[in-house]
Amino acid sequence: MRALALSLACLGLVAGASGAAPALAAPAKKASPKASAAKPSEQTQSAHAVLYLKVLINALQSDEVKEEAKASLVACLYSHTLQEITTAADEVFTKAAGKVNRDKPAQVLFVLTSVCGFEGDPRNAATSSVPKGR
């Protein structure tokens, strides 16, 4: 666990040095009473946060993910709470319900990197499979 924390800290320093700035969506507006009914339950949101964190950790450990994408993810985690990242990713999955699916880790990774400010495909060009941890 300490090795993972040290790795994340080192990547955060690299991300800060490279000038990678997360582009997390603007703070959420206060929901109207009708919109609050569509908001996911706390248990659902927690399950989504766990999924996103698992995908994020696997991406950081994978050789199949671009270093720039990894730096963007670490900078995003450093600058924002997991709740903010989860809320932003949930909004993307809700708005693009027919286009992206939480059951596909590669799509979850793409959404997370997009939310965190990385543009393009986060995977290395030579790889086309789902990122696997070491």
Short mmCIF file of all heavy atoms in Angstrom, two decimals, residues 20-92:
data_model
loop_
_atom_site.label_atom_id
_atom_site.label_comp_id
_atom_site.label_asym_id
_atom_site.label_seq_id
_atom_site.Cartn_x
_atom_site.Cartn_y
_atom_site.Cartn_z
N ALA A 20 0.54 19.57 -16.54
CA ALA A 20 -0.74 18.93 -16.84
C ALA A 20 -1.77 19.43 -15.84
O ALA A 20 -1.61 19.26 -14.64
CB ALA A 20 -0.61 17.42 -16.75
N ALA A 21 -2.78 20.07 -16.34
CA ALA A 21 -3.81 20.60 -15.46
C ALA A 21 -5.12 19.89 -15.74
O ALA A 21 -5.52 19.78 -16.89
CB ALA A 21 -3.98 22.10 -15.70
N PRO A 22 -5.77 19.38 -14.73
CA PRO A 22 -7.03 18.69 -14.96
C PRO A 22 -8.11 19.67 -15.41
O PRO A 22 -8.12 20.83 -15.04
CB PRO A 22 -7.36 18.10 -13.59
CG PRO A 22 -6.64 18.94 -12.62
CD PRO A 22 -5.40 19.43 -13.33
N ALA A 23 -8.98 19.17 -16.23
CA ALA A 23 -10.07 19.99 -16.74
C ALA A 23 -11.39 19.44 -16.24
O ALA A 23 -12.31 19.25 -17.01
CB ALA A 23 -10.04 20.02 -18.27
N LEU A 24 -11.46 19.15 -14.98
CA LEU A 24 -12.68 18.62 -14.39
C LEU A 24 -13.79 19.63 -14.60
O LEU A 24 -13.57 20.83 -14.54
CB LEU A 24 -12.47 18.36 -12.89
CG LEU A 24 -13.55 17.55 -12.20
CD1 LEU A 24 -13.60 16.14 -12.75
CD2 LEU A 24 -13.29 17.49 -10.72
N ALA A 25 -14.95 19.13 -14.83
CA ALA A 25 -16.09 19.99 -15.08
C ALA A 25 -16.27 21.01 -13.97
O ALA A 25 -15.88 20.78 -12.83
CB ALA A 25 -17.36 19.15 -15.22
N ALA A 26 -16.85 22.13 -14.32
CA ALA A 26 -17.10 23.19 -13.34
C ALA A 26 -17.93 22.64 -12.19
O ALA A 26 -18.62 21.64 -12.34
CB ALA A 26 -17.83 24.34 -14.00
N PRO A 27 -17.85 23.26 -11.03
CA PRO A 27 -18.63 22.78 -9.90
C PRO A 27 -20.11 22.62 -10.26
O PRO A 27 -20.67 23.43 -10.99
CB PRO A 27 -18.46 23.87 -8.84
CG PRO A 27 -17.22 24.58 -9.22
CD PRO A 27 -17.09 24.46 -10.71
N ALA A 28 -20.68 21.56 -9.76
CA ALA A 28 -22.07 21.26 -10.09
C ALA A 28 -23.00 22.35 -9.57
O ALA A 28 -22.80 22.88 -8.49
CB ALA A 28 -22.46 19.92 -9.49
N LYS A 29 -23.99 22.66 -10.38
CA LYS A 29 -24.99 23.63 -9.96
C LYS A 29 -25.94 22.96 -9.00
O LYS A 29 -26.10 21.75 -9.00
CB LYS A 29 -25.77 24.12 -11.19
CG LYS A 29 -24.90 24.83 -12.20
CD LYS A 29 -25.72 25.20 -13.42
CE LYS A 29 -24.83 25.83 -14.48
NZ LYS A 29 -25.54 26.09 -15.71
N LYS A 30 -26.58 23.76 -8.17
CA LYS A 30 -27.56 23.20 -7.23
C LYS A 30 -28.71 22.61 -8.04
O LYS A 30 -29.23 23.24 -8.95
CB LYS A 30 -28.07 24.28 -6.29
CG LYS A 30 -26.95 24.85 -5.45
CD LYS A 30 -27.40 25.10 -4.08
CE LYS A 30 -26.20 25.61 -3.31
NZ LYS A 30 -26.24 25.30 -1.96
N ALA A 31 -29.06 21.39 -7.70
CA ALA A 31 -30.09 20.69 -8.43
C ALA A 31 -31.47 21.19 -8.04
O ALA A 31 -31.73 21.52 -6.89
CB ALA A 31 -29.99 19.19 -8.16
N SER A 32 -32.34 21.21 -9.03
CA SER A 32 -33.72 21.56 -8.76
C SER A 32 -34.39 20.34 -8.12
O SER A 32 -33.87 19.24 -8.20
CB SER A 32 -34.43 21.94 -10.06
OG SER A 32 -34.50 20.80 -10.90
N PRO A 33 -35.57 20.51 -7.50
CA PRO A 33 -36.23 19.37 -6.88
C PRO A 33 -36.49 18.23 -7.85
O PRO A 33 -36.38 17.08 -7.50
CB PRO A 33 -37.55 19.96 -6.36
CG PRO A 33 -37.27 21.42 -6.18
CD PRO A 33 -36.26 21.77 -7.23
N LYS A 34 -36.82 18.55 -9.12
CA LYS A 34 -37.05 17.50 -10.10
C LYS A 34 -35.76 16.77 -10.43
O LYS A 34 -35.74 15.57 -10.60
CB LYS A 34 -37.65 18.08 -11.38
CG LYS A 34 -39.07 18.56 -11.22
CD LYS A 34 -39.61 19.07 -12.52
CE LYS A 34 -41.03 19.58 -12.36
NZ LYS A 34 -41.58 20.10 -13.60
N ALA A 35 -34.64 17.49 -10.51
CA ALA A 35 -33.36 16.87 -10.85
C ALA A 35 -32.86 15.99 -9.73
O ALA A 35 -32.16 15.01 -9.97
CB ALA A 35 -32.34 17.94 -11.19
N SER A 36 -33.18 16.32 -8.49
CA SER A 36 -32.69 15.52 -7.38
C SER A 36 -33.30 14.12 -7.39
O SER A 36 -32.71 13.19 -6.86
CB SER A 36 -32.95 16.21 -6.05
OG SER A 36 -34.33 16.35 -5.83
N ALA A 37 -34.47 13.96 -7.98
CA ALA A 37 -35.09 12.65 -8.07
C ALA A 37 -34.29 11.74 -9.00
O ALA A 37 -34.25 10.53 -8.82
CB ALA A 37 -36.53 12.77 -8.55
N ALA A 38 -33.61 12.32 -10.00
CA ALA A 38 -32.83 11.53 -10.95
C ALA A 38 -31.41 11.27 -10.44
O ALA A 38 -30.69 10.48 -11.01
CB ALA A 38 -32.77 12.26 -12.28
N LYS A 39 -31.02 11.92 -9.36
CA LYS A 39 -29.68 11.75 -8.81
C LYS A 39 -29.52 10.33 -8.27
O LYS A 39 -30.40 9.81 -7.60
CB LYS A 39 -29.46 12.77 -7.70
CG LYS A 39 -28.07 12.75 -7.12
CD LYS A 39 -27.92 13.79 -6.05
CE LYS A 39 -26.55 13.70 -5.42
NZ LYS A 39 -26.40 14.64 -4.33
N PRO A 40 -28.36 9.69 -8.57
CA PRO A 40 -28.18 8.33 -8.06
C PRO A 40 -28.13 8.28 -6.54
O PRO A 40 -27.72 9.25 -5.89
CB PRO A 40 -26.83 7.90 -8.65
CG PRO A 40 -26.23 9.09 -9.28
CD PRO A 40 -27.25 10.17 -9.33
N SER A 41 -28.55 7.16 -5.98
CA SER A 41 -28.53 7.02 -4.53
C SER A 41 -27.09 7.02 -4.04
O SER A 41 -26.14 6.81 -4.80
CB SER A 41 -29.22 5.72 -4.13
OG SER A 41 -28.42 4.62 -4.49
N GLU A 42 -26.93 7.22 -2.74
CA GLU A 42 -25.60 7.25 -2.15
C GLU A 42 -24.90 5.91 -2.34
O GLU A 42 -23.70 5.85 -2.60
CB GLU A 42 -25.71 7.60 -0.67
CG GLU A 42 -24.37 7.84 -0.01
CD GLU A 42 -24.52 8.32 1.42
OE1 GLU A 42 -25.38 9.17 1.69
OE2 GLU A 42 -23.75 7.81 2.26
N GLN A 43 -25.65 4.82 -2.22
CA GLN A 43 -25.08 3.49 -2.39
C GLN A 43 -24.63 3.28 -3.84
O GLN A 43 -23.54 2.75 -4.08
CB GLN A 43 -26.09 2.42 -1.99
CG GLN A 43 -25.54 1.02 -2.01
CD GLN A 43 -26.54 0.00 -1.52
OE1 GLN A 43 -27.73 0.29 -1.39
NE2 GLN A 43 -26.08 -1.20 -1.26
N THR A 44 -25.43 3.72 -4.79
CA THR A 44 -25.07 3.60 -6.20
C THR A 44 -23.85 4.44 -6.51
O THR A 44 -22.93 4.00 -7.19
CB THR A 44 -26.24 4.03 -7.10
OG1 THR A 44 -27.37 3.22 -6.79
CG2 THR A 44 -25.90 3.90 -8.57
N GLN A 45 -23.83 5.66 -5.99
CA GLN A 45 -22.70 6.55 -6.23
C GLN A 45 -21.42 5.97 -5.60
O GLN A 45 -20.35 6.06 -6.19
CB GLN A 45 -22.99 7.94 -5.69
CG GLN A 45 -22.05 8.99 -6.24
CD GLN A 45 -22.50 10.39 -5.91
OE1 GLN A 45 -23.21 10.61 -4.93
NE2 GLN A 45 -22.09 11.34 -6.71
N SER A 46 -21.52 5.34 -4.45
CA SER A 46 -20.37 4.70 -3.81
C SER A 46 -19.86 3.54 -4.66
O SER A 46 -18.65 3.35 -4.81
CB SER A 46 -20.72 4.20 -2.41
OG SER A 46 -20.98 5.27 -1.56
N ALA A 47 -20.78 2.76 -5.21
CA ALA A 47 -20.39 1.64 -6.08
C ALA A 47 -19.68 2.16 -7.33
O ALA A 47 -18.68 1.57 -7.77
CB ALA A 47 -21.61 0.81 -6.47
N HIS A 48 -20.17 3.26 -7.88
CA HIS A 48 -19.52 3.86 -9.05
C HIS A 48 -18.12 4.36 -8.68
O HIS A 48 -17.16 4.17 -9.45
CB HIS A 48 -20.35 5.02 -9.60
CG HIS A 48 -21.63 4.58 -10.21
ND1 HIS A 48 -22.60 5.48 -10.60
CD2 HIS A 48 -22.14 3.35 -10.50
CE1 HIS A 48 -23.63 4.82 -11.11
NE2 HIS A 48 -23.38 3.54 -11.05
N ALA A 49 -17.98 4.98 -7.52
CA ALA A 49 -16.68 5.49 -7.08
C ALA A 49 -15.68 4.35 -6.94
O ALA A 49 -14.52 4.48 -7.34
CB ALA A 49 -16.82 6.25 -5.75
N VAL A 50 -16.11 3.21 -6.39
CA VAL A 50 -15.24 2.05 -6.25
C VAL A 50 -14.80 1.55 -7.62
O VAL A 50 -13.62 1.26 -7.85
CB VAL A 50 -15.93 0.93 -5.44
CG1 VAL A 50 -15.15 -0.37 -5.51
CG2 VAL A 50 -16.11 1.37 -3.99
N LEU A 51 -15.75 1.46 -8.55
CA LEU A 51 -15.43 1.02 -9.91
C LEU A 51 -14.42 1.96 -10.56
O LEU A 51 -13.42 1.52 -11.13
CB LEU A 51 -16.70 0.95 -10.76
CG LEU A 51 -16.48 0.73 -12.26
CD1 LEU A 51 -15.90 -0.66 -12.51
CD2 LEU A 51 -17.76 0.94 -13.02
N TYR A 52 -14.67 3.26 -10.47
CA TYR A 52 -13.77 4.24 -11.09
C TYR A 52 -12.38 4.17 -10.47
O TYR A 52 -11.38 4.27 -11.18
CB TYR A 52 -14.33 5.66 -10.96
CG TYR A 52 -15.70 5.85 -11.59
CD1 TYR A 52 -16.55 6.85 -11.13
CD2 TYR A 52 -16.16 5.06 -12.63
CE1 TYR A 52 -17.80 7.04 -11.70
CE2 TYR A 52 -17.40 5.24 -13.19
CZ TYR A 52 -18.23 6.24 -12.72
OH TYR A 52 -19.47 6.43 -13.28
N LEU A 53 -12.31 3.99 -9.16
CA LEU A 53 -11.02 3.90 -8.49
C LEU A 53 -10.26 2.64 -8.92
O LEU A 53 -9.05 2.68 -9.14
CB LEU A 53 -11.20 3.94 -6.98
CG LEU A 53 -9.94 4.12 -6.16
CD1 LEU A 53 -9.20 5.40 -6.54
CD2 LEU A 53 -10.28 4.15 -4.67
N LYS A 54 -10.97 1.53 -9.08
CA LYS A 54 -10.33 0.29 -9.55
C LYS A 54 -9.77 0.47 -10.95
O LYS A 54 -8.63 0.08 -11.23
CB LYS A 54 -11.34 -0.87 -9.55
CG LYS A 54 -11.65 -1.43 -8.20
CD LYS A 54 -12.66 -2.56 -8.32
CE LYS A 54 -13.03 -3.11 -6.96
NZ LYS A 54 -14.02 -4.19 -7.06
N VAL A 55 -10.55 1.06 -11.84
CA VAL A 55 -10.08 1.29 -13.21
C VAL A 55 -8.90 2.24 -13.20
O VAL A 55 -7.90 2.03 -13.90
CB VAL A 55 -11.23 1.84 -14.10
CG1 VAL A 55 -10.71 2.31 -15.45
CG2 VAL A 55 -12.30 0.77 -14.29
N LEU A 56 -8.97 3.28 -12.38
CA LEU A 56 -7.90 4.25 -12.29
C LEU A 56 -6.60 3.60 -11.80
O LEU A 56 -5.53 3.81 -12.37
CB LEU A 56 -8.33 5.38 -11.35
CG LEU A 56 -7.48 6.62 -11.38
CD1 LEU A 56 -8.37 7.84 -11.23
CD2 LEU A 56 -6.47 6.60 -10.28
N ILE A 57 -6.68 2.79 -10.76
CA ILE A 57 -5.49 2.12 -10.22
C ILE A 57 -4.91 1.16 -11.25
O ILE A 57 -3.69 1.12 -11.46
CB ILE A 57 -5.81 1.40 -8.89
CG1 ILE A 57 -6.05 2.43 -7.80
CG2 ILE A 57 -4.70 0.44 -8.50
CD1 ILE A 57 -6.60 1.86 -6.51
N ASN A 58 -5.77 0.38 -11.92
CA ASN A 58 -5.28 -0.53 -12.95
C ASN A 58 -4.62 0.23 -14.09
O ASN A 58 -3.60 -0.22 -14.63
CB ASN A 58 -6.41 -1.41 -13.48
CG ASN A 58 -6.76 -2.54 -12.53
OD1 ASN A 58 -5.93 -3.00 -11.78
ND2 ASN A 58 -8.00 -2.97 -12.57
N ALA A 59 -5.16 1.37 -14.45
CA ALA A 59 -4.58 2.18 -15.52
C ALA A 59 -3.20 2.69 -15.11
O ALA A 59 -2.26 2.69 -15.92
CB ALA A 59 -5.50 3.34 -15.87
N LEU A 60 -3.06 3.11 -13.87
CA LEU A 60 -1.77 3.63 -13.39
C LEU A 60 -0.71 2.54 -13.35
O LEU A 60 0.48 2.81 -13.51
CB LEU A 60 -1.93 4.26 -12.00
CG LEU A 60 -2.73 5.55 -11.95
CD1 LEU A 60 -2.90 6.01 -10.51
CD2 LEU A 60 -2.09 6.64 -12.80
N GLN A 61 -1.12 1.29 -13.16
CA GLN A 61 -0.18 0.18 -13.08
C GLN A 61 0.10 -0.45 -14.44
O GLN A 61 0.99 -1.27 -14.58
CB GLN A 61 -0.71 -0.89 -12.14
CG GLN A 61 -0.78 -0.43 -10.71
CD GLN A 61 -1.41 -1.47 -9.80
OE1 GLN A 61 -2.12 -2.37 -10.24
NE2 GLN A 61 -1.15 -1.35 -8.51
N SER A 62 -0.65 -0.05 -15.46
CA SER A 62 -0.56 -0.68 -16.76
C SER A 62 0.50 -0.04 -17.66
O SER A 62 0.67 1.18 -17.68
CB SER A 62 -1.92 -0.59 -17.45
OG SER A 62 -1.84 -1.11 -18.76
N ASP A 63 1.17 -0.88 -18.43
CA ASP A 63 2.10 -0.38 -19.44
C ASP A 63 1.36 0.01 -20.71
O ASP A 63 1.94 0.59 -21.62
CB ASP A 63 3.13 -1.47 -19.78
CG ASP A 63 4.07 -1.76 -18.62
OD1 ASP A 63 4.28 -0.85 -17.79
OD2 ASP A 63 4.57 -2.90 -18.54
N GLU A 64 0.08 -0.33 -20.79
CA GLU A 64 -0.71 -0.08 -21.99
C GLU A 64 -1.37 1.30 -22.00
O GLU A 64 -2.03 1.65 -22.96
CB GLU A 64 -1.78 -1.16 -22.13
CG GLU A 64 -1.20 -2.55 -22.29
CD GLU A 64 -2.25 -3.64 -22.34
OE1 GLU A 64 -3.45 -3.31 -22.40
OE2 GLU A 64 -1.87 -4.80 -22.32
N VAL A 65 -1.18 2.07 -20.94
CA VAL A 65 -1.77 3.41 -20.85
C VAL A 65 -0.66 4.44 -21.00
O VAL A 65 0.41 4.30 -20.42
CB VAL A 65 -2.51 3.59 -19.51
CG1 VAL A 65 -3.07 5.00 -19.37
CG2 VAL A 65 -3.64 2.57 -19.38
N LYS A 66 -0.93 5.46 -21.80
CA LYS A 66 0.06 6.52 -22.05
C LYS A 66 0.43 7.21 -20.75
O LYS A 66 -0.41 7.44 -19.87
CB LYS A 66 -0.51 7.57 -23.01
CG LYS A 66 -0.75 7.05 -24.40
CD LYS A 66 -1.37 8.13 -25.27
CE LYS A 66 -1.67 7.59 -26.66
NZ LYS A 66 -2.38 8.58 -27.48
N GLU A 67 1.70 7.58 -20.63
CA GLU A 67 2.19 8.27 -19.44
C GLU A 67 1.47 9.60 -19.25
O GLU A 67 1.21 10.01 -18.12
CB GLU A 67 3.70 8.49 -19.53
CG GLU A 67 4.51 7.21 -19.41
CD GLU A 67 4.29 6.44 -18.12
OE1 GLU A 67 4.23 7.07 -17.04
OE2 GLU A 67 4.17 5.20 -18.19
N GLU A 68 1.15 10.28 -20.33
CA GLU A 68 0.44 11.56 -20.23
C GLU A 68 -0.95 11.37 -19.64
O GLU A 68 -1.42 12.20 -18.86
CB GLU A 68 0.32 12.25 -21.61
CG GLU A 68 1.65 12.60 -22.22
CD GLU A 68 2.29 11.44 -23.01
OE1 GLU A 68 1.63 10.39 -23.20
OE2 GLU A 68 3.45 11.60 -23.41
N ALA A 69 -1.61 10.28 -20.01
CA ALA A 69 -2.93 9.97 -19.45
C ALA A 69 -2.82 9.65 -17.97
O ALA A 69 -3.65 10.08 -17.16
CB ALA A 69 -3.58 8.81 -20.21
N LYS A 70 -1.77 8.90 -17.59
CA LYS A 70 -1.55 8.58 -16.18
C LYS A 70 -1.31 9.86 -15.37
O LYS A 70 -1.86 10.03 -14.29
CB LYS A 70 -0.35 7.65 -16.03
CG LYS A 70 -0.58 6.25 -16.56
CD LYS A 70 0.68 5.42 -16.39
CE LYS A 70 0.52 4.03 -16.96
NZ LYS A 70 1.72 3.20 -16.75
N ALA A 71 -0.50 10.74 -15.93
CA ALA A 71 -0.21 12.01 -15.24
C ALA A 71 -1.48 12.82 -15.06
O ALA A 71 -1.70 13.44 -14.01
CB ALA A 71 0.84 12.80 -16.01
N SER A 72 -2.33 12.82 -16.06
CA SER A 72 -3.60 13.55 -15.98
C SER A 72 -4.49 12.97 -14.88
O SER A 72 -5.12 13.72 -14.12
CB SER A 72 -4.31 13.49 -17.34
OG SER A 72 -5.54 14.15 -17.29
N LEU A 73 -4.55 11.65 -14.79
CA LEU A 73 -5.36 11.01 -13.76
C LEU A 73 -4.85 11.33 -12.36
O LEU A 73 -5.63 11.63 -11.45
CB LEU A 73 -5.38 9.49 -13.98
CG LEU A 73 -6.17 8.99 -15.19
CD1 LEU A 73 -5.90 7.51 -15.41
CD2 LEU A 73 -7.64 9.26 -15.03
N VAL A 74 -3.53 11.27 -12.18
CA VAL A 74 -2.96 11.55 -10.86
C VAL A 74 -3.18 13.01 -10.49
O VAL A 74 -3.55 13.33 -9.35
CB VAL A 74 -1.46 11.19 -10.82
CG1 VAL A 74 -0.80 11.68 -9.55
CG2 VAL A 74 -1.29 9.68 -10.93
N ALA A 75 -2.97 13.92 -11.43
CA ALA A 75 -3.19 15.34 -11.16
C ALA A 75 -4.65 15.60 -10.80
O ALA A 75 -4.94 16.41 -9.91
CB ALA A 75 -2.79 16.18 -12.38
N CYS A 76 -5.54 14.90 -11.46
CA CYS A 76 -6.98 15.05 -11.19
C CYS A 76 -7.30 14.56 -9.78
O CYS A 76 -8.02 15.22 -9.03
CB CYS A 76 -7.76 14.26 -12.23
SG CYS A 76 -9.53 14.55 -12.23
N LEU A 77 -6.75 13.41 -9.40
CA LEU A 77 -6.96 12.88 -8.05
C LEU A 77 -6.37 13.80 -6.99
O LEU A 77 -6.92 13.94 -5.90
CB LEU A 77 -6.31 11.50 -7.91
CG LEU A 77 -7.19 10.29 -8.10
CD1 LEU A 77 -6.38 9.02 -7.97
CD2 LEU A 77 -8.37 10.27 -7.16
N TYR A 78 -5.28 14.41 -7.32
CA TYR A 78 -4.62 15.32 -6.38
C TYR A 78 -5.42 16.61 -6.19
O TYR A 78 -5.48 17.16 -5.11
CB TYR A 78 -3.21 15.64 -6.89
CG TYR A 78 -2.38 16.44 -5.93
CD1 TYR A 78 -1.85 15.87 -4.78
CD2 TYR A 78 -2.14 17.79 -6.17
CE1 TYR A 78 -1.09 16.61 -3.90
CE2 TYR A 78 -1.38 18.54 -5.28
CZ TYR A 78 -0.86 17.95 -4.15
OH TYR A 78 -0.11 18.69 -3.28
N SER A 79 -6.06 17.06 -7.26
CA SER A 79 -6.76 18.35 -7.24
C SER A 79 -8.24 18.25 -6.87
O SER A 79 -8.85 19.27 -6.53
CB SER A 79 -6.66 19.02 -8.60
OG SER A 79 -5.32 19.21 -8.96
N HIS A 80 -8.81 17.07 -6.98
CA HIS A 80 -10.25 16.92 -6.78
C HIS A 80 -10.54 15.71 -5.89
O HIS A 80 -9.77 14.75 -5.88
CB HIS A 80 -10.98 16.73 -8.12
CG HIS A 80 -10.75 17.86 -9.07
ND1 HIS A 80 -11.40 19.06 -8.97
CD2 HIS A 80 -9.93 17.97 -10.13
CE1 HIS A 80 -10.99 19.86 -9.93
NE2 HIS A 80 -10.09 19.23 -10.65
N THR A 81 -11.65 15.75 -5.22
CA THR A 81 -12.05 14.61 -4.40
C THR A 81 -12.58 13.51 -5.31
O THR A 81 -13.00 13.76 -6.44
CB THR A 81 -13.15 14.98 -3.39
OG1 THR A 81 -14.35 15.33 -4.11
CG2 THR A 81 -12.72 16.13 -2.50
N LEU A 82 -12.58 12.28 -4.80
CA LEU A 82 -13.13 11.17 -5.55
C LEU A 82 -14.62 11.40 -5.81
O LEU A 82 -15.13 11.02 -6.85
CB LEU A 82 -12.89 9.85 -4.82
CG LEU A 82 -13.30 8.58 -5.54
CD1 LEU A 82 -12.62 8.48 -6.90
CD2 LEU A 82 -13.00 7.36 -4.70
N GLN A 83 -15.28 12.05 -4.89
CA GLN A 83 -16.70 12.35 -5.07
C GLN A 83 -16.91 13.29 -6.26
O GLN A 83 -17.82 13.10 -7.06
CB GLN A 83 -17.29 12.97 -3.81
CG GLN A 83 -18.78 13.26 -3.94
CD GLN A 83 -19.37 13.85 -2.67
OE1 GLN A 83 -18.65 14.21 -1.75
NE2 GLN A 83 -20.68 13.96 -2.63
N GLU A 84 -16.07 14.31 -6.39
CA GLU A 84 -16.18 15.23 -7.53
C GLU A 84 -15.92 14.51 -8.85
O GLU A 84 -16.64 14.73 -9.83
CB GLU A 84 -15.19 16.38 -7.38
CG GLU A 84 -15.50 17.33 -6.25
CD GLU A 84 -14.39 18.34 -5.98
OE1 GLU A 84 -13.21 18.07 -6.29
OE2 GLU A 84 -14.73 19.41 -5.46
N ILE A 85 -14.92 13.65 -8.86
CA ILE A 85 -14.60 12.90 -10.07
C ILE A 85 -15.74 11.95 -10.42
O ILE A 85 -16.15 11.84 -11.57
CB ILE A 85 -13.27 12.13 -9.89
CG1 ILE A 85 -12.12 13.12 -9.72
CG2 ILE A 85 -13.01 11.20 -11.07
CD1 ILE A 85 -10.82 12.50 -9.26
N THR A 86 -16.28 11.28 -9.40
CA THR A 86 -17.39 10.36 -9.61
C THR A 86 -18.62 11.09 -10.14
O THR A 86 -19.27 10.62 -11.08
CB THR A 86 -17.74 9.62 -8.30
OG1 THR A 86 -16.59 8.90 -7.87
CG2 THR A 86 -18.91 8.68 -8.47
N THR A 87 -18.93 12.23 -9.57
CA THR A 87 -20.09 13.01 -10.03
C THR A 87 -19.92 13.43 -11.48
O THR A 87 -20.86 13.31 -12.28
CB THR A 87 -20.28 14.24 -9.13
OG1 THR A 87 -20.48 13.79 -7.78
CG2 THR A 87 -21.47 15.07 -9.57
N ALA A 88 -18.73 13.91 -11.83
CA ALA A 88 -18.48 14.34 -13.21
C ALA A 88 -18.56 13.15 -14.18
O ALA A 88 -19.15 13.27 -15.26
CB ALA A 88 -17.11 15.01 -13.30
N ALA A 89 -17.99 12.01 -13.80
CA ALA A 89 -18.04 10.82 -14.66
C ALA A 89 -19.48 10.30 -14.78
O ALA A 89 -19.91 9.91 -15.87
CB ALA A 89 -17.13 9.74 -14.12
N ASP A 90 -20.22 10.32 -13.67
CA ASP A 90 -21.62 9.88 -13.71
C ASP A 90 -22.44 10.74 -14.67
O ASP A 90 -23.31 10.24 -15.37
CB ASP A 90 -22.25 9.92 -12.31
CG ASP A 90 -21.85 8.72 -11.46
OD1 ASP A 90 -21.28 7.75 -12.01
OD2 ASP A 90 -22.10 8.76 -10.24
N GLU A 91 -22.15 12.05 -14.69
CA GLU A 91 -22.86 12.94 -15.62
C GLU A 91 -22.59 12.54 -17.07
O GLU A 91 -23.50 12.53 -17.89
CB GLU A 91 -22.44 14.39 -15.39
CG GLU A 91 -22.99 15.00 -14.13
CD GLU A 91 -22.50 16.43 -13.90
OE1 GLU A 91 -22.01 17.07 -14.85
OE2 GLU A 91 -22.63 16.90 -12.76
N VAL A 92 -21.35 12.18 -17.37
CA VAL A 92 -21.01 11.75 -18.73
C VAL A 92 -21.75 10.47 -19.07
O VAL A 92 -22.33 10.35 -20.15
CB VAL A 92 -19.49 11.56 -18.88
CG1 VAL A 92 -19.15 10.94 -20.23
CG2 VAL A 92 -18.75 12.88 -18.70
#
